[in-house]
Amino acid sequence: MTSPVQRPTTAAFYVQSIIAFALALFAVTVGVVYMPLGPWERGFLALGLLFLVSSTFTLAKCVRDRQESQQVTARVDQARMEKLISEHDPFEVKNF
């Protein structure tokens, strides 16, 4: 059995995702600040933005953790199968 090839994240992709996130956060923050609203509405939108950003990070962490746990489980199962196969002798005569 071969394990799936894991391609590491390139530095360019990492930087691009940081820039995209920062630009989107900045644009929405500027929109909330300059929107013609009262302080209560502006505060509501700001709290909504803060909650959205924090829940996005939490969701990303949960997805990553689940993926990592499945990879570990698959590696353990693969190691068990390899051990069983290596210990198996198809030419062994068993006396019943």
Side-chain angles (χ1 to χ4, degrees), residues 58-94:
T58 304
L59 177 62
K61 183 186 178 311
C62 289
V63 169
R64 184 199 64 204
D65 290 348
R66 174 179 254 175
Q67 181 183 11
E68 286 178 356
S69 71
Q70 288 174 348
Q71 287 177 349
V72 169
T73 303
R75 278 192 246 142
V76 169
D77 289 342
Q78 182 179 1
R80 285 182 185 155
M81 285 299 290
E82 288 176 0
K83 181 181 178 207
L84 286 172
I85 289 171
S86 67
E87 292 175 351
H88 177 68
D89 184 10
F91 299 110
E92 179 183 352
V93 177
K94 295 182 182 180

Side-chain angles (χ1 to χ4, degrees), residues 23-73:
L23 186 63
L25 184 62
F26 176 74
V28 173
T29 302
V30 168
V32 169
V33 169
Y34 287 108
M35 195 176 279
L37 297 172
W40 286 103
E41 292 89 0
R42 194 177 315 264
F44 176 77
L45 290 175
L47 282 176
L49 177 63
L50 179 67
F51 181 65
L52 179 64
V53 169
S54 66
S55 63
T56 301
F57 281 113
T58 304
L59 177 62
K61 183 186 178 311
C62 289
V63 169
R64 184 199 64 204
D65 290 348
R66 174 179 254 175
Q67 181 183 11
E68 286 178 356
S69 71
Q70 288 174 348
Q71 287 177 349
V72 169
T73 303

